Amino acid sequence: MNQASHLLVIEDDPAVATASAMELEREGYAVTWTTSGAEGVRIARDQNPHLIILDVRLPDGSGFDFCRRCASQACGSLS
């Protein structure tokens, strides 16, 4: 059996994140969830997920800004 693809969900709404993670896990994906863009960048850099699902409006900043930060900090294949 192949190792599950690792997905990172960066979403501050627990209802949205929980529902998303449950459905993705049901489909066989390994999911990490965080509510913070800054924490998401750290996790992306450390864990190199296959895919990042990123909310645009987060309490600690814009999802677009975190995407740019991740790209500039060599988070996985975004570099």
Side-chain angles (χ1 to χ4, degrees):
M1 181 184 220
N2 292 335
Q3 181 180 1
S5 294
H6 178 222
L7 308 181
L8 172 59
V9 176
I10 306 172
E11 169 62 64
D12 61 313
D13 183 331
V16 172
T18 301
S20 299
M22 286 175 55
E23 288 300 317
L24 291 166
E25 288 170 345
R26 187 173 312 171
E27 293 297 323
Y29 296 100
V31 179
T32 300
W33 167 43
T34 185
T35 60
S36 159
E39 179 70 5
V41 171
R42 186 196 63 75
I43 292 169
R45 189 175 52 243
D46 294 347
Q47 296 183 11
N48 194 23
H50 294 100
L51 177 73
I52 300 171
I53 300 172
L54 176 62
D55 187 5
V56 175
R57 294 175 53 184
L58 295 165
D60 60 338
S62 163
F64 295 115
D65 292 337
F66 291 116
C67 186
R68 282 189 283 275
R69 184 181 311 161
C70 195
S72 72
Q73 292 181 11
C75 295
S77 61
L78 289 176
S79 58

